[in-house]
Amino acid sequence: MTASEPSADSGLEMWGSRSGSDSGSGAASSGSATSDLATTPGSAATIRPALVADAPGIARVHVGSWQAAYAGLLPADFLAGLSASHREPFWAESLASPAQGHTVLVAETPDGTIAGFAATGPSRDDDATPDTGELAAIYLLPECWSQGFGRALHARALTALAGDFPTATLWVLAGNTRARTFYERTGWTLDGRTKVESLANGTVTIEEVRYRTSPRR
């Protein structure tokens, strides 16, 4: 993987389920921006809204990406303890009842493999205005790095955000140089906000920085 693609998510919080009115199809999307399929230029993948049936694949990406991208940045025992089987029910529930304004997109290869996913929605920050969205996550399977999936997911995520939000933010681990380089190259700029997060019942502490962009640019 090169510095041209993100290694994992924008902010280390696990992107959680939120109660909302959207239901029925199991596709976690809102608005016309993500209602169609799009083939990734230069690579064999389709970017589409996530379905409940994608939960196992998304969980595998979620955990595999953390374990590869954060090696050396987070404790090895913490990363080794992450389990896709434990994340799968969480994603199944989240995708079955997506909240209004939240979108989950997947990159699917021709053989049906979920190569990556992205998640967007309203900003969760306490200083956010109602017109601020958030790129909550971009994850890729390690074996799918450097194939254009990250850029494709990022572009589609911005399209999803642009439908509702003139401004968007993201959080990224301060030491995640690869991801920060990707975001800076794609138009995101630091806005000066930082935070410290605790994971694993307070046994793991991380520092994050916030970036901002206009998805309608």
Side-chain angles (χ1 to χ4, degrees), residues 65-194:
S65 180
W66 272 51
Q67 290 174 330
Y70 296 137
L73 297 176
L74 297 179
D77 57 347
F78 168 73
L79 293 174
L82 299 177
S83 168
S85 64
H86 290 163
R87 297 307 300 168
E88 183 180 335
F90 160 83
W91 277 108
E93 180 181 353
S94 298
L95 295 169
S97 301
Q100 181 68 37
H102 293 83
T103 297
V104 181
L105 301 167
V106 295
E108 182 181 22
T109 63
D111 66 0
T113 298
I114 301 300
F117 76 92
T120 68
S123 173
R124 299 166 289 180
D125 296 337
D126 55 12
D127 64 343
T129 58
D131 63 353
T132 303
E134 181 178 357
L135 176 56
I138 297 181
Y139 292 88
L140 298 171
L141 287 174
E143 59 266 33
C144 294
W145 291 352
S146 299
Q147 297 183 40
F149 301 154
R151 285 190 172 274
L153 281 167
H154 177 263
R156 292 278 286 174
L158 287 187
T159 298
L161 285 165
D164 297 310
F165 307 105
T167 300
T169 58
L170 63 82
W171 290 95
V172 63
L173 189 67
N176 193 345
T177 304
R178 179 183 289 112
R180 292 182 63 174
T181 298
F182 171 84
Y183 294 129
E184 289 166 8
R185 287 179 174 177
T186 52
W188 296 82
T189 57
L190 285 168
D191 71 359
R193 181 81 182 269
T194 64

